[in-house]
């Protein structure tokens, strides 16, 4: 789950909608300052730039783990 702080202070938050046939569709919705749910989501928000940097760091960590795992001999 990622909450994105957009320019101008708007938040893009995850949401799920249940359709009439019972199917659940995952998506997002935008909250503006003053929306009743805004203050609850704000502490979880990160800018798009921060999210991109975090994803790059996570990929680097994954590569390191895979490199160590591949060098081990199987039993």
């Amino acid at each position: 789950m990622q909450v994105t702080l957009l320019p101008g202070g708007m938040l893009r938050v995850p949401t799920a909608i249940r359709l009439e046939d019972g199917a659940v569709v995952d998506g997002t919705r935008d909250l503006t300052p003053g929306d009743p749910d805004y203050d609850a989501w704000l502490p979880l928000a990160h800018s798009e730039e921060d999210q991109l940097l975090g994803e790059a760091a996570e990929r680097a960590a994954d590569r390191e783990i895979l490199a160590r795992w591949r060098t081990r001999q199987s039993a």
Side-chain angles (χ1 to χ4, degrees), residues 9-13 29-39 41:
M10 186 176 293
L11 298 178
R12 180 157 294 145
V13 301
R29 65 185 174 116
D30 293 344
L31 302 177
T32 56
D35 187 289
D37 295 332
Y38 187 88
D39 290 336
W41 285 102

Side-chain angles (χ1 to χ4, degrees), residues 17-39:
I17 299 169
R18 184 173 300 277
L19 302 178
E20 291 179 12
D21 66 359
V24 177
V25 178
D26 292 325
T28 61
R29 65 185 174 116
D30 293 344
L31 302 177
T32 56
D35 187 289
D37 295 332
Y38 187 88
D39 290 336

